[in-house]
Amino acid sequence: MIRFEGVSKIYSTDVVLKNINWEIKKGEKIGLVGSNGAGKSTQFKILIGEEDQTSGTIIKEGNPKISHLKQELDCNLNFSVREELESSFKDIKIVALKLLEIEKKLKSLDIKQHIEELEISVNQHAKYQAKFESLGGYKMQSDVEKILPKLGFSIEDADKLVGNFSGGWQMKIALGKIILQKPDLLLLDEPTNHLDLDTIFWLEEYLSSLKIAIIIISHDRYFLDKLCKKIIFVDRGISEIYNGNYSFFVEQKSLNEETQNKAYQLQQKEIQIQKKYIDRFRASATRSSQAKSREKQLNKISKIEAPKAKSKSPAFNFPDCPRSGKLVLNIKNLSHSYEDRILFLDVNLKISSGEKIAVIGPNGCGKSTLLKIIMKKISPEIGEINLGKHNVITSYYEQNQAEALSLEERIIDLICYESPQWSQKKVRTFLGGFGFQNETVFKYVRQLSGGEKARLALALMIMNPSNFMLLDEPTNHLDLQSKENLELAIKNYKGSLLIVSHDRYFISKVANRIVEIKDSKLFSYDGDYEYFLEKK
């Protein structure tokens, strides 16, 4: 359908894409991956015509219809669900309005006095009527009613306002609008952001059932694993293609790097041996011709490229902290409501030292509230929340912690305020571990991307050692490499952990126990995420 051939994109300050080569065929589902700032969204903008490439060619077979589901949902909250879905039929709506206008005019015209005008209007009406029919105007209502149950809405929901539905349901409406346009290629930019697990499951199933081509930019590795059969990896402006899912890509990329590194080292060793021989016998009466022959061969050799130095990425290391006692947290008979909704009804939970627990459940079920109750930011209506009596030291990362950073502060100053006793060298080394090197440490918070703010907020949280961490959606806005480093740090962390997350790949890597919130109760599964799925 579409092929990128040697595409580059250069801005006045930066080279984003250098040599992009990939293609998508009809019905293919492709994952577009790479670190933040690698140029993934730029490729989407080029595809939909928002931006032009600096050089290279984009070949399109025929004129494929491309639709783009953006991160910021484009929904009118004051429309009903039906009206919002119908708004995708812009051409039909324009023709329908024109027909109404002509019909109104026809009613107002006197047959005897305006024969010519009447004839013109009747012909116009026939022309627009034919156009309305060819655009599928008579099918519009039935198309909308057919898609409603596929999106999970009832016919009664169709007349409710879009604003009455949560973000997950609004995403379904936005996706429904695009599907009604019958695109040949669907571009999805972080479609699982802020969705709960049930909605992500639904989205996976729904996208799997679609026969159209789809390109997905996502940091949700589980999602990419389930849907994509091809991964395009973009690094430093260059694309690499891997014909498999995300797990295959990770494995193959590692093997390729290892193979290239070994081949490079062997060739370098051989080159050094030959150079020594040439230098030694170049002036020899008996062996100079042999040395010259070897030199010619050496000049002809096809050089293996040196392995790329890996991009520096944030390495999260949690500082050591004294061990806590065996019991870290004891929740007894907790009941709590929010407005008219009961979140918890007589629930109990015990956490022991070393447990790494993931709290899961749909949006609005009380996951973040539970963490706030434990941290005494909210008082429970009924019940007891007791931290263990022996040496429990907590730290807490809130979901919106990155947004709470002071925009007019510099990165380095924020760290210095928190630890005035640290030397400049120690501050710079610490920040380097979070991906802030050289001059970037002097950036103001307002200049940072969402991922950079998230890394800075995490850095500030872990400066103070703790043995019981509570993390609310810590992977939001982090790129794939940052997530992998966070997973590694958590694996090495000796304390206890309570995580709220919708990132199933992340949960599967770090959690050794799952607590599900369902129907105002807590259900505990003493195993990892795969065990939880099996039991479910």
Side-chain angles (χ1 to χ4, degrees), residues 255-348:
L255 282 172
N256 290 354
E257 284 169 357
E258 203 177 305
T259 305
Q260 190 192 353
N261 193 28
K262 278 181 184 171
Y264 175 76
Q265 297 297 341
L266 278 170
Q267 190 182 63
Q268 288 300 306
K269 199 174 177 182
E270 182 60 30
I271 287 169
Q272 290 310 312
I273 291 167
Q274 295 302 334
K275 276 184 177 175
K276 274 184 185 176
Y277 183 93
I278 293 159
D279 292 343
R280 187 176 172 190
F281 296 110
R282 196 192 299 273
S284 165
T286 54
R287 296 194 190 176
S288 64
S289 60
Q290 206 174 352
K292 281 175 188 170
S293 172
R294 289 199 186 194
E295 193 168 22
K296 278 181 189 172
Q297 285 178 330
L298 198 58
N299 290 333
K300 284 180 189 173
I301 198 168
S302 177
K303 298 271 196 321
I304 295 167
E305 270 188 57
K308 289 178 196 167
K310 288 196 175 178
S311 305
K312 284 197 173 180
S313 58
F316 302 99
N317 290 302
F318 297 108
D320 290 332
C321 184
R323 286 177 67 87
S324 66
K326 193 175 179 187
L327 182 67
V328 174
L329 178 73
N330 190 11
I331 296 176
K332 289 162 85 174
N333 310 118
L334 169 67
S335 292
H336 191 79
S337 61
Y338 177 70
E339 292 176 349
D340 58 348
R341 187 173 179 191
I342 296 170
L343 295 178
F344 306 110
L345 187 61
D346 197 29
V347 301
N348 298 280

Side-chain angles (χ1 to χ4, degrees), residues 57-196:
T57 312
I58 293 167
I59 299 164
K60 293 181 181 178
E61 187 188 311
N63 187 23
K65 190 175 183 182
I66 302 170
S67 291
H68 183 202
L69 183 70
K70 296 180 181 177
Q71 286 190 50
E72 307 78 30
L73 298 177
D74 176 26
C75 285
N76 187 330
L77 303 184
N78 298 315
F79 273 15
S80 69
V81 173
R82 187 190 303 279
E83 285 172 326
E84 187 59 19
L85 289 170
E86 285 181 356
S87 73
S88 64
F89 300 100
K90 287 192 177 87
D91 294 347
I92 295 173
K93 289 280 185 182
I94 290 165
V95 175
L97 283 169
K98 194 68 185 168
L99 277 169
L100 281 172
E101 195 183 300
I102 296 166
E103 283 164 11
K104 202 174 175 183
K105 191 177 180 183
L106 282 168
K107 282 179 186 173
S108 68
L109 291 172
D110 186 283
I111 296 173
K112 290 175 184 174
Q113 290 178 357
H114 305 94
I115 292 173
E116 280 184 31
E117 209 177 328
L118 198 65
E119 199 175 327
I120 291 165
S121 294
V122 167
N123 287 335
Q124 276 186 327
H125 192 274
K127 189 177 83 174
Y128 279 105
Q129 190 79 38
K131 196 171 183 184
F132 185 77
E133 201 169 327
S134 69
L135 288 170
Y138 293 111
K139 282 172 67 243
M140 181 175 72
Q141 202 170 340
S142 68
D143 283 349
V144 167
E145 287 185 1
K146 273 181 198 168
I147 206 167
L148 280 167
K150 289 179 183 174
L151 299 172
F153 292 96
S154 65
I155 295 297
E156 293 75 37
D157 288 333
D159 298 313
K160 291 176 185 172
L161 291 181
V162 172
N164 291 349
F165 291 91
S166 69
W169 286 94
Q170 286 176 24
M171 184 279 303
K172 290 183 179 186
I173 296 166
L175 184 60
K177 279 165 64 181
I178 284 172
I179 301 305
L180 286 167
Q181 292 165 15
K182 298 186 169 61
D184 303 300
L185 172 62
L186 179 58
L187 308 178
L188 300 174
D189 197 346
E190 295 293 354
T192 61
N193 265 10
H194 312 299
L195 299 185
D196 59 37

